[in-house]
Amino acid sequence: MVRRTKEEAQETRRHILEAAEKAFYARGVARTTLADVATLAGVTRGAIYWHFSNKADLVQAMLDSLHEPLEDMARASESEDEIDPLGCMRTLLIKLFRQVALDPKTRRINEILFHKCEFTDEMCDLRRQRQIAALDCNDRIGLALANAVRKGQMPATLNTVRASICLHAYIDGILGQWLLIPDSYGLGNDAELLVDTGLDMLRLSPALRG
């Protein structure tokens, strides 16, 4: 009985997240209420508050669902024991671009994040969460680049802090632009070229030394 109750709770949570994704994609986060999500999911608002503290928490949970498939690869590139950290990072980024281009769910959630999520007063919590996530991402990229430097895959004088910020901004820019105007270039087909362009920027730019 307890196991079934837990399974039912997880199923309800999944339905809520799916409904939220559809509602946010159709109307934007600011124009979607928790009552809208509850109606679409076929649950009460109380059921939503059982699983999520507020709308910001619901949006963050939706975003978190994207990270899991790439987590092992990201962790490997950060490990000092990884013999090919730059290769791991390259593979990770190519997979990221292709997932956004080819997987409808990944594309929808990223489009919500980049173009349909307004940081209004009620979303201050989410804004803080996104700030923390961005800083964490910079740190993780920096760890991977530092490992690449130690393995001789990047210049010994690479400023990994500055380089991580530039690479993160490049990735966000590629994704944000493609999601806005997807016919402008082939994110999936050109994933390798786009990733290599970003890594070449780090490898070759004199401004990223020291």
Side-chain angles (χ1 to χ4, degrees):
M1 181 65 71
V2 174
R3 179 181 301 171
R4 186 174 66 184
T5 300
K6 288 182 178 179
E7 290 174 352
E8 288 172 351
Q10 287 302 311
E11 184 70 7
T12 298
R13 188 178 190 276
R14 184 178 66 80
H15 278 309
I16 292 170
L17 285 171
E18 289 177 351
E21 178 190 324
K22 292 177 182 177
F24 294 152
Y25 186 77
R27 303 185 61 189
V29 174
R31 296 183 61 217
T32 301
T33 67
L34 292 182
D36 295 330
V37 175
T39 299
L40 193 58
V43 302
T44 64
R45 286 187 63 186
I48 293 183
Y49 282 115
W50 177 263
H51 292 279
F52 307 100
S53 301
N54 49 39
K55 192 196 292 188
D57 189 30
L58 177 55
V59 175
Q60 187 60 53
M62 184 183 65
L63 298 177
D64 288 344
S65 68
L66 296 181
H67 301 168
E68 296 173 7
L70 304 179
E71 187 64 25
D72 289 342
M73 206 181 306
R75 192 180 302 117
S77 65
E78 297 163 15
S79 171
E80 293 184 1
D81 298 327
E82 172 57 51
I83 61 173
D84 185 18
L86 194 65
C88 281
M89 175 180 283
R90 181 178 183 273
T91 301
L92 169 70
L93 295 176
I94 291 170
K95 186 174 182 180
L96 170 63
F97 284 172
R98 286 178 175 162
Q99 274 192 335
V100 172
L102 302 175
D103 179 66
K105 178 181 178 66
T106 302
R107 177 173 174 173
R108 283 194 301 271
I109 294 178
N110 272 281
E111 189 166 342
I112 291 168
L113 174 62
F114 278 91
H115 299 304
K116 300 187 178 186
C117 184
E118 307 86 346
F119 291 129
T120 54
D121 290 346
E122 67 172 335
M123 301 301 289
C124 286
D125 287 347
L126 179 64
R127 187 174 191 275
R128 283 191 292 270
Q129 290 168 355
R130 299 310 305 158
Q131 289 171 331
I132 292 170
L135 291 171
D136 180 63
C137 185
N138 286 346
D139 289 342
R140 298 182 73 177
I141 293 173
L143 284 174
L145 291 177
N147 288 334
V149 169
R150 281 191 289 272
K151 297 295 183 181
Q153 297 178 315
M154 280 285 169
T157 56
L158 180 70
N159 185 314
T160 56
V161 173
R162 196 182 309 139
S164 67
I165 294 170
C166 289
L167 184 58
H168 190 180
Y170 173 78
I171 296 165
D172 275 0
I174 290 290
L175 292 175
Q177 183 177 197
W178 183 82
L179 289 165
L180 186 64
I181 41 175
D183 294 334
S184 59
Y185 54 91
L187 183 63
N189 292 337
D190 295 341
E192 292 190 32
L193 291 173
L194 292 168
V195 170
D196 287 340
T197 298
L199 296 179
D200 284 346
M201 172 182 69
L202 309 187
R203 189 181 291 110
L204 301 173
S205 173
L208 292 177
R209 302 292 175 266

